[in-house]
Amino acid sequence: MALRKWTQTSRVREGLPYPLGASWDGLGVNFALYSRHATKVELCLFDARGREKERIALPEYTDEIWHGYLPDARPGQRYGYRVHGPYAPDAGHRFNPNKLLLDPYAKQIVGELKWAPHLFGYTIGHRDRDLSFDRRDSAAYMPRCAVVDPAFSWGNERAPATLWDRTVIYEAHVRGLTMRHPSVPQDERGTFSALRHDALVDHLTHLGVTAVELLPVHAFIDDQYLLDQGLRNYWGYNSIGFFAPHPRYLSQGTVAEFKQMVARMHHAGLEVILDVVYNHTAEGNELGPTLSFKGIDNTSYYRLGDDRRYYINDTGTGNTFDLTNAGALRMVMDSLRYWVTEMRVDGFRFDLATILGREKHGFDPSCSFLDAVRQDPVLSQVKLIAEPWDIGPGGYQLGAFAPGWAEWNDRFRDTSRALWRGDGGQLPGFAARFTGSADLFDHHGRRPSASINFITAHDGFTLHDLVSYQHKHNLANGEDGRDGHDHNLSSNHGVEGETDDPSILALRAQQMRNLLATLLLSQGTPMLLAGDEFGHTQHGNNNVYCQDNELAWIDWERAEQPAAQAQAAFVRRLLLLRRRYGLLRRNRFLRDAGQHSGDIHWLTPEGHRMQEADWHDGERRALTIVLDGRSPAPAHASGRNVSLALLINTGGSPQVYRVALEGMDFRKVLLQTPELPLHQDDEGLWELPGHSLCLLAASSS
């Protein structure tokens, strides 16, 4: 069907090329869209019922930006774009003005995508596949962009600005954290309004965490193949709008709701960190839909292969965003600054961050994006966390990011899991991870806090499932169990899944406490998965990316059970100790004492210093770690200057310990994982049961 002919309105003015997006100035709205290769850009205006009422050709083109100003436009105006240009997939161009496109800079997106063949730039089923050209109008199936009024009264809100050495991250999902919480009103569950509810905020502050890291909140798309199975893209790693909050997370229908949530978190002393996905978009490969970037300027926004028809797929999602292009890089930088300056978030965790650092020749810590962030006066001052891997060439880059960045440390995860599972030969690796992974991060002035330590995360088993399942149980995902990790380093401790056996339940509870203590007593920045504080279960599913239901949502009724409350109290105790004793969260790497003075001593259970042969004894399962608080505290240190001893027994048999260091007498038990209280005998010996640890304190002299 031919495009309807629209009359050009005379009221449109020249406007300005900056800022990009739709900007309300109190009198009208400036519209600006970057497209290097377009030949014409039409602004499409819609009424409240979603009907297209007007198309206006943007009258000016300045420095690769199309722009115009509408003096009678107001906040709330729905709009989208149609972009003209060559449809030449072999050359990388996929312009098709029959397709309504979302503004990459849209501050709000209204409505949800409705999957239909009309969304594709080519005709599905045509013998020429994506080389064909589809003339059907996609507007009826697309969400709309909305002009927003940015005005918001922040009052006396102040960012907590928590120092890295005091930071404890709580990774959570907007819906997962709130959908089953009994204190949150039904109509607010699953939204930003729910996150600012007193019951949730009080839980986080009482627990002792300092930052909430939210899984993706940028507007994203539910994949058609998931919807066909009655599933959804629960996690949200399928972004389509990098300035707009996801529409389903807005109970009030305005972006002010996000700001209200941030203000409430800040008032409680909690930072807000966003998990962001700038490595790809929801438009997929050459056979994917045309929703925004693909139709605005495909060759500028995406990395294309030598054959320009096809996309480089370092993400495993079909496409890869091209941050070597100035327009794409500017969009990402503008998006990040927007969330910091306008929405006032405190940092970002970058999904598959190696991609963001990959130039044409490979990963480069001085690439365009990392250098741009490092010199930016706004972004360089917030928390920046990289997931330092992807599936592309040279994709594993743990420890290789530039100064100013922290990184998810999967070696901490795997070593801690293997250690407490009882695997042999883990002590050398554990020593490195426990002390902040200096082998990975001690360069260019980086600190132990650069290591984001975690045992579990959204991707994988929960802590409860890690000690309850030997294998993943993902059949509900509709992929015949092929999805999700197979290398989980988990143990069911005798029975697969749920059981009533009291001995197995006791051992599982003890192992969870061991893993939590390892996480929260180690040097570095700990990250706790929401629900692990009281033993949330996903019943063995280690990949709930598509499960927007009670399988993934946190069961707050379970949190009221005695065992769950005991575990939460244990986490609170750990975090209190971490705050109280500066030795547990140093801002400098520990110095191995060896035979001389230092910060840390490694001892055998007999009280002798660990020798080379001891470290490489694959059968050794017990160790004593002494953090020496006798030397004057560094100027940066905070907390009590008290020596601490951590006794670890990862084997299944009891172990006797003698902590013998001159000038230190360890008698006070600060924390223990066995349920029965521990006592020192008349000879100064401690006996730990199997699968347990104990933290002792001594006064320095």
Side-chain angles (χ1 to χ4, degrees):
M1 185 176 70
L3 288 174
R4 172 183 170 186
K5 292 184 178 179
W6 297 82
T7 303
Q8 174 65 56
T9 180
S10 60
R11 74 183 188 283
V12 63
R13 299 177 186 172
E14 177 179 317
L16 299 170
Y18 295 102
L20 287 159
S23 305
W24 160 248
D25 63 6
L27 299 174
V29 178
N30 191 81
F31 294 89
L33 181 75
Y34 163 78
S35 181
R36 181 179 183 184
H37 298 103
T39 58
K40 178 183 177 181
V41 172
E42 291 180 301
L43 171 68
C44 306
L45 303 180
F46 296 83
D47 63 18
R49 298 177 61 183
R51 296 174 299 185
E52 188 171 3
K53 303 297 292 183
E54 193 172 8
R55 291 186 192 175
I56 302 169
L58 294 183
E60 293 295 331
Y61 182 56
T62 305
D63 297 333
E64 302 178 343
I65 295 173
W66 299 81
H67 54 96
Y69 181 86
L70 287 183
D72 58 347
R74 295 291 182 269
Q77 173 66 60
R78 275 37 168 186
Y79 74 98
Y81 287 110
R82 299 180 187 272
V83 182
H84 299 251
Y87 188 82
D90 283 336
H93 297 304
R94 297 180 178 271
F95 295 99
N96 187 336
N98 299 284
K99 310 305 169 185
L100 183 71
L101 305 175
L102 295 173
D103 180 0
Y105 280 72
K107 306 302 190 303
Q108 184 173 3
I109 293 175
V110 179
E112 294 193 12
L113 186 86
K114 301 174 184 177
W115 283 100
H118 305 63
L119 297 171
F120 296 79
Y122 65 97
T123 302
I124 294 178
H126 195 281
R127 67 178 185 275
D128 293 328
R129 292 163 61 93
D130 63 301
L131 297 180
S132 62
F133 184 79
D134 191 86
R135 298 183 181 278
R136 287 172 290 188
D137 190 346
S138 68
Y141 307 94
M142 286 289 293
R144 311 286 190 248
C145 306
V147 178
V148 303
D149 183 350
F152 182 79
S153 177
W154 287 95
N156 61 356
E157 177 272 346
R158 295 291 184 274
T162 307
L163 298 175
W164 266 114
D165 67 305
R166 289 181 172 270
T167 297
V168 179
I169 298 171
Y170 187 86
E171 190 196 31
H173 187 283
V174 174
R175 287 176 65 79
L177 190 62
T178 64
M179 284 298 292
R180 301 180 70 181
H181 200 291
S183 297
V184 177
Q186 286 282 352
D187 60 348
E188 292 183 357
R189 293 182 182 182
T191 70
F192 298 122
S193 289
L195 288 177
R196 60 188 177 90
H197 197 280
D198 286 347
L200 272 169
V201 174
D202 290 348
H203 172 76
L204 298 174
T205 55
H206 184 50
L207 192 64
V209 299
T210 69
V212 178
E213 181 177 303
L214 296 175
L215 267 68
V217 301
H218 289 166
F220 61 86
I221 298 298
D222 286 311
D223 308 85
Q224 184 174 16
Y225 77 92
L226 291 177
L227 294 175
D228 290 344
Q229 299 179 75
L231 303 171
R232 304 196 82 148
N233 192 315
Y234 171 60
W235 283 347
Y237 291 92
N238 204 28
S239 303
I240 195 62
F242 295 102
F243 291 76
H246 188 56
R248 282 207 304 273
Y249 297 168
L250 296 173
S251 64
Q252 302 171 13
T254 69
V255 298
E257 182 177 343
F258 183 91
K259 299 178 180 179
Q260 292 165 357
M261 179 271 293
V262 171
R264 177 68 181 92
M265 291 283 188
H266 284 181
H267 180 73
L270 295 167
E271 294 185 311
V272 177
I273 298 172
L274 301 186
D275 192 337
V276 289
V277 191
Y278 294 108
N279 55 76
H280 76 280
T281 78
E283 292 186 299
N285 62 13
E286 70 278 2
L287 299 179
T290 297
L291 309 175
S292 181
F293 307 93
K294 186 179 290 185
I296 292 172
D297 198 339
N298 189 60
T299 64
S300 293
Y301 279 113
Y302 294 116
R303 293 185 64 203
L304 304 180
D306 293 335
D307 184 340
R308 307 287 284 171
R309 178 181 175 184
Y310 301 105
Y311 296 78
I312 290 174
N313 185 22
D314 290 342
T315 64
T317 64
N319 66 55
T320 303
F321 220 62
D322 186 5
L323 293 189
T324 66
N325 175 274
L329 176 62
R330 175 176 53 206
M331 193 281 293
V332 171
M333 295 296 292
D334 287 349
S335 169
L336 291 169
R337 278 190 293 265
Y338 172 79
W339 287 96
V340 173
T341 59
E342 184 64 33
M343 307 296 254
R344 300 203 182 182
V345 304
D346 305 282
F348 305 94
R349 179 266 187 187
F350 293 81
D351 179 63
L352 301 182
T354 301
I355 287 172
L356 309 180
R358 183 175 284 117
E359 298 284 334
K360 304 295 185 184
H361 59 275
F363 178 81
D364 185 347
S366 292
C367 70
S368 300
F369 172 72
L370 295 179
D371 277 352
V373 170
R374 188 176 182 184
Q375 63 78 43
D376 190 278
V378 173
L379 300 180
S380 62
Q381 301 305 305
V382 301
K383 289 183 167 67
L384 303 169
I385 302 170
E387 182 185 36
W389 50 76
D390 65 13
I391 64 170
Y396 190 77
Q397 294 292 334
L398 178 63
F401 276 73
W405 284 76
E407 303 174 38
W408 271 29
N409 189 345
D410 63 326
R411 294 191 194 177
F412 182 96
R413 174 197 66 196
D414 293 349
T415 300
S416 300
R417 290 183 176 191
L419 177 81
W420 285 107
R421 193 172 67 168
D423 295 7
Q426 299 302 313
L427 292 185
F430 167 70
R433 303 308 142 230
F434 179 80
T435 53
S437 296
D439 56 329
L440 299 171
F441 299 108
D442 190 9
H443 57 85
H444 298 100
R446 301 183 77 182
R447 301 294 172 82
S449 56
S451 176
I452 303 295
N453 300 332
F454 63 104
I455 303 293
T456 57
H458 68 275
D459 188 3
F461 280 141
T462 66
L463 185 62
H464 170 277
D465 293 358
L466 184 67
V467 301
S468 305
Y469 292 87
Q470 201 84 14
H471 310 286
K472 65 186 181 184
H473 296 262
N474 295 1
L475 289 178
N477 295 354
E479 300 181 44
D480 296 322
R482 295 186 301 272
D483 64 300
H485 299 294
D486 292 312
H487 184 63
N488 294 294
L489 296 168
S490 63
S491 174
N492 61 27
H493 296 95
V495 174
E496 186 74 356
E498 298 303 312
T499 181
D500 294 327
D501 187 316
S503 62
I504 293 177
L505 292 175
L507 179 55
R508 288 177 178 178
Q510 188 160 302
Q511 289 287 57
M512 283 193 283
R513 292 195 297 270
N514 289 329
L515 289 161
L516 288 164
T518 301
L519 172 66
L520 298 176
L521 298 178
S522 293
Q523 305 295 313
T525 303
M527 184 183 77
L528 185 69
L529 175 64
D532 276 357
E533 68 269 31
F534 52 75
H536 171 64
T537 179
Q538 293 168 175
H539 302 289
N541 191 317
N542 73 350
N543 189 31
V544 296
Y545 79 102
C546 57
Q547 300 292 336
D548 190 3
N549 51 49
E550 292 190 354
L551 179 63
W553 301 338
I554 290 177
D555 183 359
W556 289 96
E557 288 186 10
R558 183 187 183 96
E560 298 301 317
Q561 297 176 2
Q565 290 187 331
Q567 184 159 310
F570 183 78
V571 173
R572 288 194 294 272
R573 177 65 178 167
L574 277 165
L575 289 174
L576 176 63
L577 292 172
R578 188 176 179 89
R579 291 193 300 273
R580 181 176 295 170
Y581 296 102
L583 278 175
L584 297 175
R585 48 177 176 78
R586 282 174 51 104
N587 200 25
R588 300 287 192 277
F589 287 100
L590 292 164
R591 295 174 292 117
D592 192 341
Q595 301 298 323
H596 308 287
S597 62
D599 304 308
I600 187 166
H601 307 264
W602 307 94
L603 307 177
T604 67
E606 296 77 20
H608 307 303
R609 294 187 183 275
M610 289 280 287
Q611 303 299 316
E612 195 70 19
D614 297 319
W615 285 113
H616 296 289
D617 179 358
E619 299 304 313
R620 185 174 288 276
R621 300 291 193 277
L623 179 69
T624 299
I625 306 168
V626 177
L627 300 176
D628 198 331
R630 294 176 296 179
S631 59
H636 64 274
S638 60
R640 296 185 182 182
N641 190 33
V642 175
S643 296
L644 304 173
L646 182 63
L647 316 184
I648 294 176
N649 181 14
T650 67
S653 302
Q655 177 69 56
V656 175
Y657 292 78
R658 180 187 298 277
V659 188
L661 281 177
E662 183 180 351
M664 287 187 281
D665 185 13
F666 292 95
R667 292 186 180 274
K668 183 178 181 181
V669 177
L670 296 178
L671 187 90
Q672 63 177 51
T673 56
E675 291 187 359
L676 296 176
L678 298 175
H679 300 284
Q680 191 177 37
D681 67 15
D682 294 338
E683 297 181 7
L685 301 178
W686 297 87
E687 182 175 342
L688 264 67
H691 310 297
S692 67
L693 60 75
C694 176
L695 182 66
L696 306 173
S699 299
S700 298
S701 61

